[in-house]
Amino acid sequence: MQDALELAEDFNAIPIKDRLQLLLEFSENLPALPARYADHPDLLERVEECQSPVYLFVEVVEGVVHLFLTAPPEAPTTRGFASILHSMLDARPVAEVLAFDDDFPSKLGLREAVSALRLRGMTGMLRRIKRQVAEKA
Amino acid sequence: MSVPFDDNAKFAEYANPQMLVSAQWLEEHLGTPGLVVVESDEDVLLYSTGHIPGSVMIDWHTELNQPVMRDYLDGEDFAKLLGAKGISRDTTVVIYGDKSNWWSAYALWVFKLFGHADVRLLDGGRDNWIAEGRPFTRDETPVVAVDYPVIERDDKTLRAYRDDVIAHLGQPLVDVRSPEEYSGERTHMPAYPEEGALRAGHIPSAVSVPWARAAGENGVFRNRAELEAIYLDEAGLKPDDNVVAYCRIGERSSHTWFVLTYLLGFKNVRNYDGSWTEWGSLVGVPIVRGTEPGSAPKAA
């Protein structure tokens, strides 16, 4: 598994066009929701900071965080953000998630590629994930 | 330059039928010399997930705006952008996009600030094209760069600045945001992020006509009679009126600007792109809260 620093380095090492391609690949690899959430959208929390509908739910089992995120295919940027956070934070210990860098979204070199406005959605997702983890830990 | 117009019967009712093409027309004309198809979406990655064969993308945020000052590209940068997309001054451009052409209407408005002569919208945009099962690809479009002349942006004819709006008070204003934003319940669209306005409400005397009412099923424009019922009968606007449209940052109101200008033949419609993110934070300008338009303050 990659850590946040390495991923940020990977993004920043490549031209902007390739950063978008990498983000697109992330968006395509966002895991589908398991049936228990897919059938119960009411259990999920809406991330209001995102331009497109994105919903998330956090489970904490024996000190380990399990993340469930969903966003529509018409919103690949948002899906990409969700997928990056999933790859960084899923199946990690609570303490590690709570200590995760709040400023991580701004370190991916995506500001020029997708604009600061769109990046705000990722910050909103991260904040809500950490809040749910804190509530459930 | 000889890309024909679409003689679709629905379009023939509009004031400027040549501003629209249907999905069928576009599919039949893909590859026509002198035609460039441009996709413009809210989501910067959506084009990469699939697009009309041969189309290029222009992103409203990262490509049409200046990176530092809050403004659109200047003539030099616009020339560079269009040239790099294979568009020359006499190219016929057809723009399409997601969400009922919301962002593509915005791009078209920017093209018109630079007086690009032949720029049209694909009726129904991206969603309708997909719904009709028309060709879609992820193939990269090879582009041959061309020269586009440096044209000075015209900020007077189609664009209103805040001082223009202050001077305009007393004449028709149309607020195209959601009812919640208009009444002041919120400063941003439902389900959209807060975009920094300090006060919520609307510009005094503005009538509320949410932009999306102009589009029907699959995002295609309503026919002329339906549009007249909304904008003329209900909102009380007249084709000879001097109208300013606004929303939150000027994108949704570009859509309404397009409808009033080209579909209904209004002669004098300007888009206030500073819109609510500016007006709602300006010191000393009047606003109104609630569902009634309110009255325009007397000129100072």
Side-chain angles (χ1 to χ4, degrees), chain B residues 13-72:
Chain B
E13 296 178 350
Y14 295 134
N16 296 81
Q18 73 278 12
M19 292 301 293
L20 288 174
V21 301
S22 64
Q24 184 178 341
W25 181 96
L26 185 58
E27 187 174 348
E28 288 166 5
H29 288 82
L30 287 178
T32 303
L35 169 69
V36 172
V37 181
V38 172
E39 176 163 339
S40 205
D41 300 313
E42 176 174 291
D43 190 305
V44 67
L45 282 180
L46 191 55
Y47 170 86
S48 309
T49 69
H51 51 260
I52 295 179
S55 63
V56 296
M57 180 187 84
I58 292 182
D59 182 58
W60 66 278
H61 205 113
T62 58
E63 294 188 300
L64 292 177
N65 281 273
Q66 288 190 32
V68 180
M69 185 162 70
R70 182 177 173 185
D71 207 340
Y72 300 100

Side-chain angles (χ1 to χ4, degrees), chain A residues 17 20-21 23-24 28 46 48-52 73-78 112-115 117-118 120, chain B residues 41-46 48-49 59-62 98-99 103 138 140 186 191-196 248:
Chain A
K17 194 161 179 276
L20 284 173
Q21 190 56 38
L23 184 62
L24 184 62
E28 287 164 351
R46 168 146 197 163
E48 298 278 354
E49 294 84 353
C50 282
Q51 293 205 338
S52 304
E74 309 83 61
T77 300
T78 304
E112 305 101 308
V114 306
S115 86
L117 183 69
R118 288 166 173 147
R120 232 191 269 181
Chain B
D41 300 313
E42 176 174 291
D43 190 305
V44 67
L45 282 180
L46 191 55
S48 309
T49 69
D59 182 58
W60 66 278
H61 205 113
T62 58
D98 62 349
K99 307 201 167 156
W103 304 92
R138 292 184 72 146
E140 224 171 290
R186 57 202 309 168
Y192 273 65
E194 289 281 353
E195 274 169 359
R248 180 189 43 134

Side-chain angles (χ1 to χ4, degrees), chain B residues 95-112:
Chain B
I95 313 185
Y96 75 100
D98 62 349
K99 307 201 167 156
S100 306
N101 278 326
W102 169 348
W103 304 92
S104 50
Y106 190 44
L108 185 143
W109 179 72
V110 175
F111 272 60
K112 285 297 184 189

Side-chain angles (χ1 to χ4, degrees), chain A residues 24-128:
Chain A
L24 184 62
E25 283 164 24
F26 268 102
S27 81
E28 287 164 351
N29 292 323
L30 178 66
L33 288 181
R36 66 183 185 281
Y37 292 126
D39 299 340
H40 286 280
D42 49 302
L43 292 173
L44 301 169
E45 174 179 348
R46 168 146 197 163
V47 181
E48 298 278 354
E49 294 84 353
C50 282
Q51 293 205 338
S52 304
V54 50
Y55 296 87
L56 64 88
F57 194 81
V58 169
E59 288 177 1
V60 177
V61 181
E62 294 175 357
V64 175
V65 172
H66 298 280
L67 263 186
F68 304 93
L69 294 144
T70 183
E74 309 83 61
T77 300
T78 304
R79 280 182 67 86
F81 293 160
S83 179
I84 287 173
L85 290 177
H86 187 270
S87 76
M88 294 290 108
L89 302 174
D90 185 54
R92 302 290 173 108
V94 165
E96 200 180 310
V97 174
L98 292 179
F100 192 79
D101 182 4
D102 289 316
D103 201 29
F104 169 72
S106 67
K107 293 178 177 166
L108 293 171
L110 285 171
R111 196 201 303 255
E112 305 101 308
V114 306
S115 86
L117 183 69
R118 288 166 173 147
L119 266 181
R120 232 191 269 181
M122 190 172 185
T123 308
M125 262 183 250
L126 177 57
R127 192 166 62 219
R128 283 160 193 267

